[in-house]
């Protein structure tokens, strides 16, 4: 125990991470170690987050006799409906008409007793949602959290999750004499192996460098945080302003260079642009002290300097995706404040600068939760990729956890692998200091939107970005809801072109021309125009079929110079000399 305390005390994260000074006593180190153990037991969720919400609910529900009466009456009606259906006294449909549920869409769920079970589950789900919401005096934050948790618990008890109460599984088991369950057991064993870091034997359907991230290019710059990839031209001439793409560091960069047919990089190169891409290092314990400022300086600014040095262009088009877009907005605001005019345009893909409406993740973020995560990271120096992936899976547990379990383990129907799924499984670690600063400064305190985020000792503001902005939100985004992305209109003091596209946080961005069923809305708001709220914007702009990529390429083209011969691939010598072929080495780090 003394050695562990000494280790924790010596490795404590810097004061910039936490509100208080770092602990310098064995007692404080013991508290941190205890909290880290608690975090392991609760999958990183602070008990006080749920405890406060539960207490708020219980106290206010106890003092709301009217609400109690409504819930009792509803419970009696639901019980009577269940008993009548179970006894065959009244036919029961698949569930309440106002709760369509695709889990019970198969015709087999319309037969007794499965129709009764599914209807009972849907009524139970609705009852619990009514029980935890609309309670007089309860805070909206606690109400939303309780609704999320109640829904998640209800989903875990769905009859579709169990072999003996799922008619589709029963039918498959009869038809295949149980072979589906045998395949499911093998699938489960493979997934357990993956969780322990052991990939199944044999070639995998998708591999980086073979059929993922295959656009030809060179790594033309490398430091301790990034590799910068320059992609080879495919046109006789290119626009003089290169494109620099800053992806999120929470996953590998190749979300924007997936397969050949849906690579945004390959598409932009084919449109006559010179494209550079940042590939982030997968950090380990030695990188525990990397900060948000390190990611800005050694990431965005270092890549920008290298791209302009190689192309000899005075300006470039900067593109940021997800957290990479947030980081790019920080860098662009600092550049505007400091009269650095090297940005021709700024493009933000599913990226937020205001985190007050940041989707379901916002439900769990408070000071207690962030402190618990900091204590959990203190010993290792990073947040593991498994912990991050688990948090995102919980946001869509019905599809990503229960739906996947039914398909893979009960039906034995391992879905055909696809590139986006392979990328989604290729997560990275988060350095302790950087991740804590991100959670506290951006998510918890919303410093960036409220003028308290400092770069170089001085506050920055989005209003200092002078380059025109192209912002993309996606209709079904659970990470960066489109109305949150739209808030850039509130902060920017420049022309903003906003696109709302179909799809979710990832699939909406990977929306190549020819992708079936895609549509998007687009409108430009001049810097001098009056603000329009998102619902009015939605009503005023009609959706167009197709991919927003083509509109984006046209937007960039109008803000670029006349085509010129392509630049060389990297410098002849020095720091920007090509060192290896794309996709480089950092993307391969596990």
């Amino acid at each position: 125990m003394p050695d562990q305390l000494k280790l924790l005390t010596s490795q404590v994260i810097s004061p910039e991470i936490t509100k208080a000074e770092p602990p310098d006593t064995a007692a404080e180190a013991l508290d941190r170690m205890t909290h880290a153990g608690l975090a392991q037991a609760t999958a990183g969720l602070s008990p006080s987050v749920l405890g406060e919400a539960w207490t708020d609910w219980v106290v206010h529900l106890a003092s709301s006799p009217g609400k109690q009466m409504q819930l009792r009456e509803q419970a009696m009606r639901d019980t009577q409906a269940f008993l009548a259906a179970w006894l065959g006294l009244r036919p029961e449909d698949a569930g309440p008409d106002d709760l369509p549920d695709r889990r019970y869409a198969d015709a087999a769920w319309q037969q007794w007793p499965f129709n009764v079970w599914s209807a009972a589950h849907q009524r139970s789900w609705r009852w619990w949602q009514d029980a935890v919401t609309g309670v007089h005096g309860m805070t909206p934050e606690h109400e939303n959290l309780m609704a999320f948790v109640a829904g998640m618990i209800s989903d875990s008890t769905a009859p579709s999750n169990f072999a003996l109460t799922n008619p589709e599984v029963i039918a498959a088991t009869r038809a295949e004499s149980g072979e589906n369950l045998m395949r499911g057991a093998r699938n489960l064993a493979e997934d357990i192996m993956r969780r322990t870091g052991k990939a199944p034997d044999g070639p995998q359907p998708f591999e980086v460098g073979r059929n993922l991230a295959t656009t030809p290019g060179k790594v033309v710059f490398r430091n301790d945080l990034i590799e910068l990839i320059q992609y080879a031209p495919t046109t006789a001439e290119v626009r003089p302003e290169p494109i620099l793409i800053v992806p999120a560091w929470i996953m590998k960069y190749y979300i924007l260079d997936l397969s050949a047919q849906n690579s945004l990089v390959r598409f932009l190169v084919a449109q006559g642009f010179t494209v550079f891409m940042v590939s982030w290092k997968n950090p380990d314990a030695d990188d525990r002290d990397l900060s948000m400022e390190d990611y800005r300086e050694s990431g965005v600014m270092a890549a920008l300097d290298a791209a302009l040095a190689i192309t000899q262009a005075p300006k470039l088009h900067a593109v940021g995706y997800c957290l990479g877009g947030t980081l790019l907005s920080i860098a662009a605001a600092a550049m505007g404040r400091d009269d650095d005019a090297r940005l021709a345009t700024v493009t933000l893909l599913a990226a937020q600068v205001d985190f007050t409406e940041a989707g379901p993740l916002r439900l769990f973020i408070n000071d207690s939760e962030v402190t618990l995560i900091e204590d959990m990271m203190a010993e290792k120096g990073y947040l593991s990729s498994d912990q991050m992936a688990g948090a995102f899976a919980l946001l869509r547990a019905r599809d990503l956890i229960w739906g996947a379990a039914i398909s893979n383990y009960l039906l034995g129907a391992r879905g055909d692998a696809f590139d986006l799924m392979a990328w989604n499984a290729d997560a990275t670690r988060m350095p302790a200091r950087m991740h804590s600063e991100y959670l506290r400064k951006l998510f918890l305190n919303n410093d960036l939107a409220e003028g308290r985020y400092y770069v170089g000792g001085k506050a920055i503001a989005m209003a200092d970005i002078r380059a025109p902005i192209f912002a993309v939100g996606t209709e079904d985004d659970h990470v960066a809801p489109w109305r949150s992305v739209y808030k850039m209109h509130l902060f920017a003091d420049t022309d903003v072109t906003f696109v709302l596209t179909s799809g979710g946080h990832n699939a909406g961005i990977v929306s190549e021309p020819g992708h079936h069923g895609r549509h998007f809305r687009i409108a430009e708001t001049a810097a001098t125009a009056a603000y329009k709220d998102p619902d009015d914007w939605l009503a005023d702009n009609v959706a167009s079929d197709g991919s927003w990529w083509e509109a984006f390429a046209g937007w960039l083209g109008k803000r670029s110079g006349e085509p010129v011969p392509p630049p060389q691939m990297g410098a002849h010598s020095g720091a920007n000399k090509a060192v290896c072929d794309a996709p480089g080495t950092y993307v391969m780090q596990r």
Side-chain angles (χ1 to χ4, degrees):
M1 180 67 74
D3 291 339
Q4 291 176 296
L5 296 180
K6 183 177 180 181
L7 176 65
L8 281 172
T9 304
S10 64
Q11 290 188 338
V12 68
I13 49 184
S14 75
E16 295 178 61
I17 298 179
T18 57
K19 288 184 173 182
E21 291 297 314
D24 54 6
T25 68
E28 289 170 316
L30 177 60
D31 288 345
R32 278 188 174 274
M33 187 170 63
T34 302
H35 292 168
L38 178 63
Q40 295 295 331
T42 62
L45 181 63
S46 171
S48 73
V49 175
L50 289 177
E52 291 171 7
W54 183 85
T55 301
D56 190 7
W57 171 60
V58 168
V59 169
H60 286 94
L61 182 62
S63 58
S64 301
K67 180 71 171 179
Q68 294 176 35
M69 181 177 64
Q70 290 177 346
L71 293 174
R72 283 194 297 267
E73 292 174 351
Q74 182 178 336
M76 290 179 63
R77 290 193 300 269
D78 290 347
T79 301
Q80 290 170 355
F82 170 77
L83 291 174
W86 183 257
L87 296 174
L89 300 177
R90 180 173 62 82
E92 180 64 276
D93 58 19
D97 293 337
D98 60 340
L99 290 176
D101 194 328
R102 64 186 181 201
R103 289 174 297 184
Y104 308 127
D106 192 276
W109 285 102
Q110 311 310 315
Q111 305 301 315
W112 190 94
F114 306 110
N115 61 335
V116 180
W117 292 338
S118 62
H121 173 257
Q122 288 178 285
R123 293 183 189 280
S124 173
W125 188 93
R126 182 177 61 182
W127 187 90
W128 276 106
Q129 290 297 304
D130 290 343
V132 298
T133 60
V135 180
H136 189 68
M138 191 175 174
T139 64
E141 294 80 10
H142 290 161
E143 183 177 277
N144 292 336
L145 178 56
M146 288 298 294
F148 177 84
V149 172
M152 191 166 58
I153 294 174
S154 294
D155 285 341
S156 71
T157 65
S160 56
N161 296 341
F162 306 96
L164 296 179
T165 54
N166 187 324
E168 298 173 73
V169 175
I170 293 173
T173 303
R174 286 174 175 170
E176 300 184 47
S177 300
E179 281 296 322
N180 57 306
L181 298 179
M182 296 296 293
R183 292 195 306 272
R186 289 193 294 270
N187 291 342
L188 177 61
E190 288 181 1
D191 289 346
I192 292 174
M193 288 179 62
R194 288 190 179 95
R195 290 293 301 272
T196 58
K198 300 177 182 178
D201 295 334
Q204 301 303 301
F206 290 94
E207 296 178 355
V208 174
R210 181 171 65 84
N211 53 5
L212 295 174
T214 59
T215 303
K218 298 285 187 181
V219 173
V220 294
F221 174 80
R222 178 188 292 149
N223 61 22
D224 291 338
L225 185 58
I226 69 166
E227 288 182 333
L228 182 65
I229 301 170
Q230 179 184 359
Y231 292 95
T234 59
T235 55
E237 293 184 314
V238 298
R239 298 289 186 168
E241 299 85 0
I243 296 174
L244 170 63
I245 302 178
V246 183
W249 56 85
I250 196 171
M251 302 288 286
K252 301 295 179 64
Y253 80 85
Y254 60 90
I255 176 66
L256 300 176
D257 185 27
L258 281 170
S259 303
Q261 74 277 6
N262 60 3
S263 167
L264 178 60
V265 168
R266 192 178 292 259
F267 171 81
L268 291 173
V269 169
Q271 306 307 305
F273 292 99
T274 299
V275 179
F276 291 82
M277 173 77 79
V278 170
S279 175
W280 300 101
K281 176 184 179 181
N282 192 1
D284 54 29
D286 292 338
D287 302 306
R288 64 186 307 120
D289 291 324
L290 286 174
S291 65
M292 285 286 293
E293 182 63 6
D294 291 324
Y295 272 67
R296 185 190 71 87
E297 288 186 344
S298 299
V300 177
M301 300 310 297
L304 186 149
D305 291 342
L308 291 180
I310 291 169
T311 60
Q312 295 297 297
K315 295 186 177 185
L316 56 72
H317 301 292
V319 179
Y321 172 55
C322 187
L323 293 183
T326 303
L327 184 65
L328 174 61
S329 69
I330 292 171
M335 292 173 69
R337 180 199 65 189
D338 299 337
D339 296 323
D340 186 340
R342 291 182 293 168
L343 296 179
T345 64
V346 174
T347 297
L348 306 175
L349 308 179
Q352 302 170 97
V353 296
D354 181 296
F355 287 79
T356 54
E357 297 179 89
L361 277 175
R362 195 78 182 92
L363 298 174
F364 297 94
I365 300 298
N366 63 13
D367 194 79
S368 175
E369 175 63 23
V370 174
T371 300
L372 191 74
I373 293 174
E374 289 169 347
D375 292 341
M376 184 170 57
M377 294 187 297
E379 185 172 1
K380 287 185 176 180
Y382 57 82
L383 186 69
S384 72
S385 57
D386 286 345
Q387 291 163 328
M388 186 64 65
F392 281 106
L394 282 177
L395 301 181
R396 298 175 60 202
R398 182 178 293 187
D399 296 325
L400 299 183
I401 297 178
W402 300 115
I406 294 167
S407 177
N408 292 332
Y409 310 143
L410 297 184
L411 295 174
R414 181 78 89 182
D416 293 336
F418 57 97
D419 48 15
L420 193 58
M421 181 176 67
W423 168 84
N424 194 57
D426 197 5
T428 59
R429 295 175 288 273
M430 301 290 106
R433 179 175 176 178
M434 180 281 300
H435 194 55
S436 180
E437 289 179 346
Y438 158 69
L439 289 176
R440 283 201 178 276
K441 294 181 179 180
L442 300 182
F443 233 105
L444 184 59
N445 298 331
N446 205 31
D447 288 345
L448 181 58
E450 298 179 13
R452 295 186 300 270
Y453 194 96
Y454 288 79
V455 173
K458 296 184 292 183
I460 60 170
M462 293 299 106
D464 287 333
I465 299 177
R466 298 305 178 204
I469 294 173
F470 190 94
V472 180
T474 65
E475 292 176 348
D476 302 318
D477 201 326
H478 62 285
V479 177
W482 77 265
R483 286 176 173 81
S484 181
V485 176
Y486 183 87
K487 285 186 175 183
M488 178 55 75
H489 289 87
L490 293 172
F491 304 111
D493 193 18
T494 185
D495 296 345
V496 176
T497 299
F498 185 75
V499 170
L500 178 61
T501 181
S502 56
H505 185 70
N506 299 321
I509 300 302
V510 183
S511 185
E512 70 282 1
H515 194 126
H516 178 70
R518 295 298 190 188
H519 62 262
F520 69 96
R521 293 173 168 85
I522 184 170
E524 180 175 344
T525 301
T528 56
Y531 173 73
K532 184 181 294 184
D533 74 49
D535 291 328
D536 287 341
W537 186 95
L538 185 66
D540 291 345
N541 293 284
V542 178
S544 300
D545 292 334
S547 168
W548 62 269
W549 287 12
E550 294 173 320
F552 178 46
W555 185 86
L556 289 174
K558 292 178 180 178
R559 292 157 180 81
S560 301
E562 292 300 316
V564 298
Q568 63 187 21
M569 294 292 292
H572 293 298
S573 61
N576 298 326
K577 182 180 179 180
V579 294
C580 66
D581 290 333
T585 61
Y586 282 2
V587 72
M588 302 296 185
Q589 293 174 333
R590 295 291 181 262

